[in-house]
Amino acid sequence: MIEPIEIARLVEPSWCEARIAELAFRATAGAYPAAYRDNDRAIIDDDALAAWLFARVRPHLRGELAIDGERWELVGLNRRFRACRYRGGQAFCIHRDGAHVPSDNLRSYLTLQIYLDADPALAGGCTRFYRDASGAELVRAIAPRAGTAIVFDHREWHDGEPVTRGIKHILRTDVMYRRVGEIAADEPDVIGRHRGYVWRVIACRDGSLASAGRDGCIRRWSSRGATCTPLDRGSILALVEDRRGTLWSGTRSGCVLAGDREIARDLGAVLALACDEAGVVAATAHGMLTAFTSSGERRWTSPAHAGWAWAVAPHSGGVASTGDDGRIAHTDAHGKTRTLRELDAPCRALVALTDGTLIAGDRHGCVQRGHAHDARAHDARAHDGRAHDAAITSLCAVGDGFVSAGEDGRVRRWPGGAELARFTDHVTCLAVDGSGTLVAGGYDGALRRLG
């Protein structure tokens, strides 16, 4: 891990003031959960700004990095800048920054963040670094000062402290490095990689796997090789194969696509997709379920959840869903929704087992059944009452049970809770391939066979 550095007066306060005046911010609501981040944001692509800032920051940067046995040389800054505005208690909860990876030989490893404000009324707003994802041990806190920059490893766990008084503005981008030499040999269990987080992996009817991620690509993996289809719509969060064999995808920007054909673009972040008997159903950041025919016409929309609808799965002639409100709900073929169970925590994952039993995974790492009267409601718990030490992100039916994965990096099989794998970062998705092998994807961009 590369230690964070603080650079006083990388730019002048007058330059910072001019940048703030130029920015047009938009709320992040609908693209990110408010409990995760609720600041306002602006995105700027500027080659000249990247070159100018690189000339200033270059003396403070490492010219070469050694990462996992590979050498990377410094080449510049990402031309894409993200400006953030925080006010009225807004914050950015503990997280790691995602890498910008335009090719296999060019990627970022470091974040450059510049504080823009000289507001004497500002209270809060420190960038805080932690030992790990739990946030239990604070390592360092850096207070915002106009013109000061910080450079830190993408792998650092950090947050943006709530701004309780005044306004805080920052400008951030990525420090880019180019690979020196050949690509290191991959691990034998790695099927392939995305350039950034893997958000979803599914098993297709022809025996192949399909995956989608932060790089905006859908990738197919089979014994015949790999293909990549860039959609140019930003991060792809949801993926499903319909009954005709067409891959449907949903994006953080609110689009639903069938193949490369746009079906909708106004849904808010599309978090999950599932097939029902008449087409495809999308679960969205507005708590809505929206159903489409196989040809793309809208059938119905149901306000199924308060807050984000995180997961949806085929169930009993319709679909089941769960979300931030902790409800497990069923929506029938006509869009009528009823509650199956009220839980005491937001839920991120849902799966229907072969016998029709619904399993939900919540933000605290607990697994619960879809019906309160089910006597087996508590059989998927570790010794301390939780299946995982952090939010459960994915559930997958396997044989007569299921497998869970979470932000603690663990993959467990139930009943019993046997640990199948442990990774250093979040596991985001699970699937079973045509040979019956469990496959996992996560923040490191790799798809891995487990067992």
Side-chain angles (χ1 to χ4, degrees):
M1 192 80 75
I2 300 161
E3 290 296 318
I5 61 171
E6 187 173 356
I7 308 167
R9 294 184 74 90
L10 178 68
V11 293
E12 296 302 317
S14 58
W15 182 91
C16 297
E17 187 177 356
R19 297 289 77 72
I20 292 172
E22 295 171 353
L23 296 169
F25 288 96
R26 292 185 177 182
T28 55
Y32 297 91
Y36 174 63
R37 66 181 298 183
D38 58 357
N39 61 293
D40 306 317
R41 188 173 68 161
I43 296 175
I44 311 111
D45 292 319
D46 193 326
D47 290 305
L49 177 58
W52 183 80
L53 279 175
F54 182 57
R56 286 180 167 247
V57 76
R58 184 170 191 167
H60 304 277
L61 302 175
R62 294 192 188 186
E64 188 172 291
L65 301 178
I67 307 287
D68 297 330
E70 297 181 327
R71 293 168 53 221
W72 295 81
E73 63 180 5
L74 178 66
V75 294
L77 300 180
N78 184 3
R79 69 187 295 268
R80 171 152 289 189
F81 291 82
R82 280 81 84 202
C84 295
R85 179 177 64 192
Y86 298 83
R87 53 186 175 167
Q90 289 179 330
F92 197 155
C93 293
I94 190 167
H95 66 284
R96 283 172 163 170
D97 287 349
H100 176 58
V101 192
S103 76
D104 290 338
N105 294 310
L106 183 65
R107 60 162 294 157
S108 65
Y109 279 105
L110 308 174
T111 297
L112 169 65
Q113 179 171 298
I114 304 170
Y115 299 105
L116 301 180
D117 293 287
D119 181 359
L122 181 64
C126 289
T127 303
R128 301 181 295 193
F129 295 93
Y130 298 92
R131 186 71 62 195
D132 55 38
S134 71
E137 184 179 350
L138 178 66
V139 175
R140 185 178 181 184
I142 298 175
R145 291 187 296 274
T148 294
I150 56 174
V151 178
F152 57 91
D153 196 309
H154 288 334
R155 297 169 293 181
E156 289 277 5
W157 291 103
H158 64 287
D159 71 2
E161 181 187 25
V163 171
T164 56
R165 189 174 68 248
I167 303 177
K168 166 189 164 186
H169 297 84
I170 63 114
L171 184 68
R172 62 141 297 188
T173 189
D174 309 292
V175 183
M176 303 301 298
Y177 286 81
R178 180 179 292 115
R179 187 193 308 273
V180 178
E182 299 297 319
I183 298 176
D186 235 332
E187 304 102 307
D189 62 335
V190 173
I191 298 167
R193 293 183 182 273
H194 279 260
R195 293 170 181 161
Y197 306 155
V198 182
W199 290 124
R200 195 74 61 178
V201 60
I202 62 170
C204 299
R205 290 177 174 80
D206 64 1
S208 67
L209 293 168
S211 58
R214 190 173 184 266
D215 57 5
C217 296
I218 296 176
R219 299 176 187 266
R220 295 289 290 260
W221 315 92
S222 72
S223 58
R224 299 183 298 276
T227 62
C228 175
T229 304
L231 294 184
D232 194 29
R233 302 299 180 101
S235 197
I236 302 171
L237 306 181
L239 193 64
V240 74
E241 183 185 36
D242 70 13
R243 297 176 185 274
R244 300 178 179 181
T246 299
L247 286 179
W248 289 57
S249 56
T251 72
R252 188 182 296 282
S253 62
C255 294
V256 170
L257 299 101
D260 59 1
R261 181 168 64 96
E262 184 179 279
I263 301 299
R265 61 184 308 172
D266 58 346
L267 301 184
V270 180
L271 306 174
L273 295 166
C275 289
D276 67 357
E277 294 178 356
V280 171
V281 180
T284 75
H286 298 311
M288 300 290 184
L289 300 185
T290 299
F292 303 91
T293 66
S294 295
S295 56
E297 291 81 20
R298 294 196 192 198
R299 295 155 45 207
W300 50 259
T301 295
S302 172
H305 296 276
W308 285 40
W310 279 97
V312 61
H315 190 254
S316 298
V319 293
S321 59
T322 193
D324 276 342
D325 57 4
R327 293 174 67 226
I328 301 176
H330 181 270
T331 304
D332 67 19
H334 306 290
K336 183 178 180 180
T337 298
R338 62 187 176 92
T339 299
L340 300 179
R341 190 175 181 192
E342 296 274 4
L343 303 177
D344 57 359
C347 292
R348 300 278 186 88
L350 184 72
V351 67
L353 304 187
T354 53
D355 65 359
T357 301
L358 288 169
I359 305 292
D362 72 27
R363 188 177 68 187
H364 304 307
C366 295
V367 175
Q368 303 194 51
R369 302 277 169 163
H371 292 84
H373 65 267
D374 194 324
R376 298 169 298 173
H378 301 292
D379 69 353
R381 305 293 178 91
H383 67 279
D384 63 353
R386 295 190 297 173
H388 289 266
D389 294 327
I392 293 172
T393 53
S394 186
L395 296 164
C396 181
V398 176
D400 60 353
F402 63 95
V403 174
S404 61
E407 291 184 353
D408 59 358
R410 290 180 170 91
V411 180
R412 294 182 181 272
R413 183 161 186 162
W414 306 97
E419 186 174 288
L420 303 181
R422 183 182 298 193
F423 301 103
T424 58
D425 214 332
H426 298 356
V427 182
T428 55
C429 52
L430 298 167
V432 176
D433 71 11
S435 67
T437 301
L438 186 67
V439 175
Y443 270 26
D444 68 353
L447 285 177
R448 288 185 167 85
R449 298 183 183 91
L450 307 183

